[in-house]
Amino acid sequence: MSTETVNTGTTALPLAPGDWALDPLHSSVGFVIRHLGISKVRGRFNDFTAALRVGETLADVEVTATVEIASIDTGNADRDAHVKQEDMLDVARRPRMTFRSTAITGSGEDWTMAGDLTIGDVTRPITFAVEFDGVREFPGTGSRHAGFEATGELSRKEFGLGFGAGMLGDTVKIQLDMQFVEPSS
């Protein structure tokens, strides 16, 4: 299927309309948080889904995602087990995070995506800076993949996650690398 240009009024979005499927083998959901104010702990979530629906206009583009919080991986199994407990993330009460875009603006390589992030029973607005890395054909299969990098920040306290004050920073930086596969005709 050839890529069509979606008319966004003044901006052309070079993605074919339809439901683009996540390529999970070439995507990641990562985060960074300060520890003791002197270093950073990096981690990722290994179990997530995302969907990209491209409509006829930019206003019709929608991104949704779900992250299973129990899939946290900081590279230290003992730390991960502790972070999942009731006194911290409490994955029994907060099993997942969900995101739904509310507005996407920009052009070329630089975009902004606003949306609602829900962790447990708390929903707050969040904004991501998005870099569109282009669309390329996957060798051998002919499928076309679109690549995106997105970064944003959240305040743990705003989501009721104020545990570890003094030990852990309030700001969590989110780093997303996503590939989506163009819908087939």
Side-chain angles (χ1 to χ4, degrees), residues 142-166:
S143 63
R144 294 177 50 82
H145 292 229
F148 302 88
E149 295 175 51
T151 57
E153 294 184 352
L154 65 84
S155 163
R156 292 188 309 121
K157 290 178 196 167
E158 288 183 6
F159 287 91
L161 301 171
F163 57 83

Side-chain angles (χ1 to χ4, degrees), residues 15 130-136 145-149 178-180:
L15 298 176
V130 179
E131 182 179 325
F132 174 55
D133 296 324
V135 178
R136 302 285 182 270
H145 292 229
F148 302 88
E149 295 175 51
M178 297 286 159
Q179 267 192 47
F180 290 93

Side-chain angles (χ1 to χ4, degrees), residues 17 24 32 34 69 88 90 103 115 127 145 153 156 175-177:
V32 179
R34 285 228 171 246
I69 296 175
M88 298 193 91
D90 192 1
T127 301
H145 292 229
E153 294 184 352
R156 292 188 309 121
Q175 301 171 326
L176 308 171
D177 288 293

Side-chain angles (χ1 to χ4, degrees), residues 5 24 39 41 43 45 59 62 66-67 72 75 77 80 82 92 97 100 109 115 125 143 157 165 168 182:
T5 299
S39 65
V41 173
F45 292 94
E62 181 180 59
T66 300
V67 174
I72 191 169
D80 296 344
H82 182 230
M97 290 184 276
R100 178 174 301 280
E109 294 179 0
S143 63
K157 290 178 196 167
L168 295 174
E182 185 176 60

Side-chain angles (χ1 to χ4, degrees), residues 13-23 49-55 57-58 60-65 99 101 104 113 130 132 134-135 144-148 178-183:
L13 183 64
L15 298 176
D19 293 326
W20 289 64
L22 179 70
D23 177 352
T49 61
L52 169 62
R53 173 169 282 170
V54 177
T57 70
L58 186 57
D60 299 324
V61 175
E62 181 180 59
V63 176
T64 58
F99 173 82
S101 64
I104 299 172
M113 179 173 59
V130 179
F132 174 55
V135 178
R144 294 177 50 82
H145 292 229
F148 302 88
M178 297 286 159
Q179 267 192 47
F180 290 93
V181 181
E182 185 176 60

